[in-house]
Amino acid sequence: MIALAALRTRTMSAIPEHDPDGISPSGSIARAVAEALNWLEHAMLLVDASGRVYFASAKARQLLQSRQLCMQGSQLRAKTLGETVDLHRLIAGWARMGQLTEARDYTTCCRVGELLLQFAPLATPPPDSIAVHGCLVAVFVIDPSAAADPSPEQLRVQFGLTAAEAAFACAIVRGEGVKECARTIGISEPTARTHLHRIFEKTGTKRQAQLVRLILASRPIIRQP
């Protein structure tokens, strides 16, 4: 129902608009769902088997103004013809998977330029009042270059770190060694190693690689206001 609510919500002027009333007890639910999707850091689109876009979150609308992804009419397209053909092939395959239960033969993600796209078939059929070619597919778009780094405030809240420990942990996540982190934030190497030991204790990790993986996996998916 979330996807269908979003489907009925106003999006870009280039995307067909639909009256949100009728898909739930209140049309305001559809608008609330669309607003909630707009808070996600990653972009999300709903497309049919032909690549026609029926919904685009705020982040997706931004990306559709870039050169890596765009719309021609209401159809999703990549920068090059070859990428567009591959993208539409994957979308069509995932649209068919929405009605099938056997093992999938299609890759779960692909790259378009520097963007990473992931696909999720939606088994719930769209309303009869909307002409959709095949099943709908949710396309999640990740822009690695725009991913926000973890903040010291976030790490203090999540893991109970002190301000100094959180600042050191952020430096570790950036890929710096202990000595370089100490130099960067202006502390001695013994102090840095003390910070690291305490961070390990508070996060339940034992190695820097494990710590970095935990912090990145725990990064909030909600964008900053």
Side-chain angles (χ1 to χ4, degrees), residues 3-4 7-8 16 18 46-55 91 95 99 122 124-137:
L4 296 183
L7 179 62
R8 293 294 192 89
H18 302 287
L46 293 180
V47 301
D48 67 10
S50 69
R52 179 178 177 134
V53 179
Y54 287 86
F55 174 82
I91 290 173
Q99 296 179 326
L122 304 181
T124 303
D128 294 335
S129 59
I130 301 177
V132 175
H133 181 58
C135 293
L136 288 171
V137 176

Side-chain angles (χ1 to χ4, degrees), residues 148-161 166 170 214-221 224:
D149 291 330
S151 68
E153 180 182 2
Q154 169 206 325
L155 299 184
R156 290 201 302 271
V157 171
Q158 285 184 309
F159 303 110
L161 305 183
C170 285
L214 174 66
I215 291 176
L216 292 179
S218 303
R219 188 167 57 86
I221 62 172
Q224 293 295 316

